[in-house]
Amino acid sequence: MSRKTAFKEQMFRALNSLNRFGQSKYQAKQESFQQGKKGKVDGIYSKKTMLDYKKVAKQFHSWTKSKGYRFSSLSEVTDEHIKQYLTERQTGGYSAWTVSHDLSALNKIFHRNITKKETGLQARRNADIKNNRGFGNNYRSSTYKNNKELIFFLSATGIRRQSITTISPVNAIRDTTGTIIGFHIKEKGGKTRNCCVIKSKQENITAFVDNHISMYGNKPFWNKVDKNLNTHWYRAEYAHTLYNDLLTAQKNQIDYFNGQRNIFVNELKLKQATAKHNLTTKGYDTNTLAIVSQNLGHNRIDVVYSNYLSRF
């Protein structure tokens, strides 16, 4: 007679069955939208997310034992058990972000669709964000002094932290004069996109790239990132600058992209992002928010004003 699989191992197997490493989450989301599922995907596309969710599984398993629960199968866990666990995590002092993350993991493990509203969990706030969102305890002026070139590059392109060590001269997009106007990059879930370079910084970025080519060829610009460097701050700076630049160009009836708009703006996605909004959103121009969103690698204008523009 075969031995029954332990409860914790069942949770791990449930997560492993959702392994979609190497597949495009972006493509899966597009297919989900086409199927009327509002962009919801069932798989786990990131190795880091998988490890984080398995950590949640271990913590939940320890909690069940402390409560005297002896589950023999995943089906024995009810929504009420999950809500109880999350409520105790919240009252125990864990941030709304952490508890929300736990909820996402447990929904995956037990194939549920429990919402924060149903659990009565607190809403996540920008002020709760600790990881790479503010200067934090690790801030040292020397960190910024020693990373001047990277800081300038980030404020000119708005790329994510994980793209820094992969971007190289071959990713540069040049106009007919040879000036670099943007970069083609690969990011989360294998998604590729283009980002425009802030117009006032294009000349310096071109000089930086050309100098790098003369010295190192097409090798990536950086092979590591200072762990204390707040890259998200400069991504927010990029969003703020681009938003204001686009508004100014619009006011002066100038084509900010110099006839290259199609490289950096997907008109269909722009229409989708703005469809349910008024001309202004939270005091910002909705259409401009959507353009900035695309150049940040999003298609959600709420992320732009809440996580980026609100910081300036």
Side-chain angles (χ1 to χ4, degrees):
M1 187 174 184
S2 60
R3 181 181 178 183
K4 188 172 181 63
T5 305
F7 178 67
K8 182 167 69 172
E9 181 60 28
Q10 290 181 49
M11 288 193 287
F12 286 170
R13 290 185 180 184
L15 288 171
N16 289 335
S17 71
L18 299 174
N19 185 328
R20 304 291 187 273
F21 300 164
Q23 298 181 36
S24 171
K25 184 176 182 180
Y26 172 74
Q27 182 61 40
K29 278 183 171 289
Q30 297 308 303
E31 293 175 356
S32 175
F33 279 120
Q34 293 172 4
Q35 296 168 4
K37 297 180 180 179
K38 300 181 179 181
K40 182 179 178 181
V41 295
D42 295 325
I44 298 175
Y45 296 79
S46 163
K47 292 181 180 179
K48 183 179 184 303
T49 299
M50 179 67 81
L51 291 174
D52 287 346
Y53 282 7
K54 286 186 175 180
K55 181 178 179 180
V56 174
K58 290 179 181 178
Q59 293 168 338
F60 182 75
H61 180 250
S62 296
W63 176 82
T64 62
K65 291 196 297 183
S66 72
K67 291 295 181 181
Y69 297 131
R70 293 295 182 265
F71 299 123
S72 59
S73 70
L74 301 186
S75 62
E76 294 177 3
V77 177
T78 67
D79 288 3
E80 292 307 313
H81 288 128
I82 295 174
K83 292 175 184 178
Q84 180 188 0
Y85 173 70
L86 296 172
T87 299
E88 291 188 15
R89 293 275 282 175
Q90 182 170 267
T91 56
Y94 288 94
S95 73
W97 283 87
T98 297
V99 181
S100 180
H101 175 269
D102 291 345
L103 173 59
S104 297
L106 295 172
N107 272 333
K108 291 285 189 183
I109 294 169
F110 297 105
H111 301 288
R112 308 294 168 82
N113 192 30
I114 304 171
T115 65
K116 289 192 288 290
K117 184 177 181 179
E118 291 174 327
T119 63
L121 297 177
Q122 297 174 0
R124 301 189 302 179
R125 301 175 302 157
N126 287 338
D128 289 328
I129 308 175
K130 303 297 183 185
N131 182 26
N132 196 35
R133 294 300 196 267
F135 288 108
N137 294 328
N138 287 331
Y139 170 68
R140 297 288 185 277
S141 59
S142 59
T143 300
Y144 297 87
K145 182 179 179 180
N146 295 335
N147 291 279
K148 287 183 178 180
E149 285 189 336
L150 176 54
I151 287 171
F152 182 81
F153 192 90
L154 293 173
S155 65
T157 62
I159 64 172
R160 290 185 170 95
R161 188 180 191 92
Q162 64 263 40
S163 298
I164 294 173
T165 55
T166 63
I167 197 165
S168 71
V170 297
N171 301 118
I173 301 171
R174 299 178 186 258
D175 64 14
T176 55
T177 68
T179 300
I180 293 176
I181 59 174
F183 286 89
H184 180 71
I185 52 183
K186 184 175 182 180
E187 292 190 329
K188 290 183 176 180
K191 177 183 177 182
T192 60
R193 69 178 181 91
N194 295 332
C195 66
C196 69
V197 172
I198 298 298
K199 189 176 289 293
S200 62
K201 300 183 178 184
Q202 290 177 356
E203 184 177 338
N204 285 336
I205 286 294
T206 301
F208 166 76
V209 173
D210 288 345
N211 181 63
H212 180 89
I213 292 173
S214 67
M215 297 178 65
Y216 309 107
N218 285 322
K219 292 183 178 180
F221 301 123
W222 293 276
N223 56 24
K224 62 180 181 179
V225 185
D226 188 329
K227 66 179 181 180
N228 293 323
L229 182 62
N230 181 5
T231 58
H232 191 82
W233 178 266
Y234 300 103
R235 186 164 152 80
E237 181 182 318
Y238 167 83
H240 182 261
T241 303
L242 181 58
Y243 177 82
N244 287 325
D245 281 1
L246 288 169
L247 280 186
T248 300
Q250 179 180 306
K251 180 180 179 180
N252 296 323
Q253 297 184 325
I254 297 172
D255 178 11
Y256 187 78
F257 299 105
N258 292 333
Q260 307 289 339
R261 179 184 170 96
N262 65 305
I263 297 177
F264 305 108
V265 181
N266 183 310
E267 300 297 344
L268 177 59
K269 289 183 180 179
L270 189 71
K271 185 177 180 179
Q272 293 173 339
T274 59
K276 297 182 180 180
H277 295 270
N278 296 321
L279 293 178
T280 59
T281 303
K282 299 291 185 178
Y284 297 102
D285 181 83
T286 300
N287 196 67
T288 305
L289 284 175
I291 294 174
V292 174
S293 179
Q294 286 192 25
N295 279 272
L296 286 169
H298 295 293
N299 199 39
R300 293 171 51 199
I301 63 175
D302 61 309
V303 172
V304 179
Y305 65 72
S306 63
N307 288 359
Y308 297 95
L309 299 186
S310 63
R311 301 183 179 279
F312 288 85

